[in-house]
Amino acid sequence: MFLVTVLLIATAILFVTKGVIIVKQAEVVIIERLGKFERVLESGLNLIFPILETPRPIAWKVTQKGIDGKTYSYIKEKERIDLRETVYDFPRQNVITKDNVSISINALLYFQIVDPKSAVYEIQNLPEAIEKLTQTTLRNLVGQIDLDETLVSRDKINQELRAILDEATNKWGVKVNRVELQDIIPPVDIQTAMEKQMKAERDRRAAILEAEGLKKAAILKAEGEKEAAINKAEGDKQASILRADGIAQARILEADGEKQAIQKIIDALADKGQPDKYLIAMKYLETMTSITSGKDNKIVYMPYEATGILSSVDGIKEMFKGTKING
């Protein structure tokens, strides 16, 4: 009787410890009955038969930092399958580009298990399979493009790599959400050549910018000089117009004054007659003044026609003899 009691107590303890499984949120457990798939335990309290039913473990990649400070990764079997998005940091690998340049690439992969049953039964070692598939696909993609395109086409490589991996891992119950290339490191000699090329390109751009600046400065200076010359010419033009206008007005006023003076003389001599002889005589006197030279006003030459002036002067003299001065 005692033995039966002990056996019942042991069975109860075994049932409680092995038959009661509490699954956390975002986790599942694959249950097999006698080695055959039975069901998937969701989050919460679950009961199984300890002897007939057992959890099926899955291989999972675990990353741990060692005593030396380096990070080590290893594969560990665990009974609970995590349904959350997982990130894998793959080790750096050497890849040859289309132009035969060996570069070093480090990639990150973000994936999520959407079908736990397929992740357990369709692939023997899921993390290693994803890692090898990523490495081979990356080599294939980079091998189709040259170094320069590889350095500037990270987004394109990421999208193509994610599409290929998502399609290939669909059978394993895995959804690849994102792929990122962390580092693309070319050889040292290639880096040196690229640095020299970049420096030469920067120098070329600086020279172009300087030349464009000098060109614009010369254009602005020429335009300024042009506008200044135009403004000066316009000013000279306006000054000449104003000067000519002033001279013309002065001549008009002078002519008007002379006209009025002559008219007064004509009016004064109208009663005596022959005003035309008087005017001719005055003009001859003015002409005689202009043909003199020297300070003593000596006449250099006298034209023959000048003798006719004497008769006009005598006539004027005779004309004024009979004029009475009004007093």
Side-chain angles (χ1 to χ4, degrees), residues 2 9 13 49 54 71 79 91 122 128 155 165 193 198 222 224 227 230 236 244 252 258 265 268 285 306 323:
F2 176 75
I9 294 173
I13 294 174
F49 294 98
T54 57
T71 302
E79 296 179 352
E122 294 296 336
E128 185 177 1
D155 292 339
L165 293 178
M198 291 175 61
E227 292 181 0
I230 292 174
D236 293 341
I252 291 173
E258 186 175 356
I265 294 173
L285 290 176
T323 303

Side-chain angles (χ1 to χ4, degrees), residues 37-312:
F37 172 75
E38 176 63 21
R39 65 185 182 277
V40 178
L41 300 183
E42 304 291 341
S43 58
L45 180 64
N46 297 272
L47 300 177
I48 65 171
F49 294 98
I51 299 176
L52 300 178
E53 298 177 347
T54 57
R56 173 67 182 265
I58 183 175
W60 203 253
K61 185 177 181 180
V62 178
T63 302
Q64 186 176 2
K65 183 174 291 187
I67 301 176
D68 55 356
K70 296 182 180 180
T71 302
Y72 298 93
S73 299
Y74 60 94
I75 301 299
K76 178 182 178 181
E77 289 188 348
K78 62 178 184 177
E79 296 179 352
R80 300 172 185 269
I81 301 175
D82 197 339
L83 300 181
R84 296 175 297 178
E85 188 174 21
T86 304
V87 55
Y88 272 1
D89 187 359
F90 297 109
R92 191 179 303 277
Q93 60 177 332
N94 293 326
V95 182
I96 299 177
T97 61
K98 184 179 180 180
D99 48 354
N100 295 325
V101 178
S102 179
I103 59 177
S104 179
I105 297 181
N106 185 21
L108 283 177
L109 178 65
Y110 297 83
F111 73 93
Q112 187 175 9
I113 296 178
V114 295
D115 186 0
K117 180 180 177 182
S118 299
V120 173
Y121 293 105
E122 294 296 336
I123 188 70
Q124 189 272 330
N125 191 330
L126 180 62
E128 185 177 1
I130 294 177
E131 180 178 345
K132 298 303 181 184
L133 179 62
T134 303
Q135 291 176 349
T136 54
T137 306
L138 184 59
R139 288 195 184 98
N140 186 31
L141 290 177
V142 175
Q144 297 176 3
I145 56 180
D146 54 21
L147 176 61
D148 293 338
E149 189 176 357
T150 302
L151 296 175
V152 298
S153 303
R154 292 195 180 191
D155 292 339
K156 179 182 178 181
I157 298 174
N158 293 339
Q159 293 176 3
E160 293 183 0
L161 185 59
R162 189 204 64 79
I164 295 173
L165 293 178
D166 188 33
E167 182 180 0
T169 58
N170 187 40
K171 179 183 178 182
W172 305 338
V174 174
K175 173 68 176 176
V176 178
N177 297 325
R178 192 171 182 179
V179 179
E180 293 288 343
L181 299 182
Q182 294 188 81
D183 300 320
I184 300 178
I185 303 177
V188 178
D189 55 343
I190 299 296
Q191 292 185 30
T192 303
M194 291 172 62
E195 291 176 357
K196 292 181 179 179
Q197 182 180 1
M198 291 175 61
K199 184 178 182 301
E201 182 66 19
R202 286 194 295 268
D203 293 340
R204 184 183 69 84
R205 292 180 181 178
I208 291 175
L209 292 176
E210 184 179 1
E212 290 180 351
L214 294 175
K215 176 183 175 182
K216 291 181 179 179
I219 292 174
L220 292 176
K221 182 180 179 181
E223 290 179 352
E225 293 177 351
K226 176 183 176 182
E227 292 181 0
I230 292 174
N231 293 334
K232 185 177 183 301
E234 187 67 23
D236 293 341
K237 174 184 175 183
Q238 294 295 332
S240 299
I241 293 174
L242 293 175
R243 190 181 301 109
D245 191 19
I247 294 174
Q249 291 181 3
R251 288 181 178 178
I252 291 173
L253 293 175
E254 183 180 358
D256 290 340
E258 186 175 356
K259 175 182 177 182
Q260 293 177 5
I262 294 173
Q263 186 64 41
K264 287 182 179 181
I265 294 173
I266 292 174
D267 293 340
L269 298 177
D271 297 336
K272 301 299 179 179
Q274 298 180 343
D276 52 344
K277 291 183 178 181
Y278 173 78
L279 294 176
I280 294 172
M282 294 301 294
K283 289 295 182 181
Y284 263 88
L285 290 176
E286 292 179 359
T287 304
M288 292 295 292
T289 302
S290 63
I291 63 176
T292 59
S293 65
K295 296 181 180 179
D296 297 334
N297 292 329
K298 295 180 180 179
I299 298 175
V300 179
Y301 67 91
M302 179 177 292
Y304 174 78
E305 292 79 0
T307 57
I309 192 67
L310 299 176
S311 61
S312 297

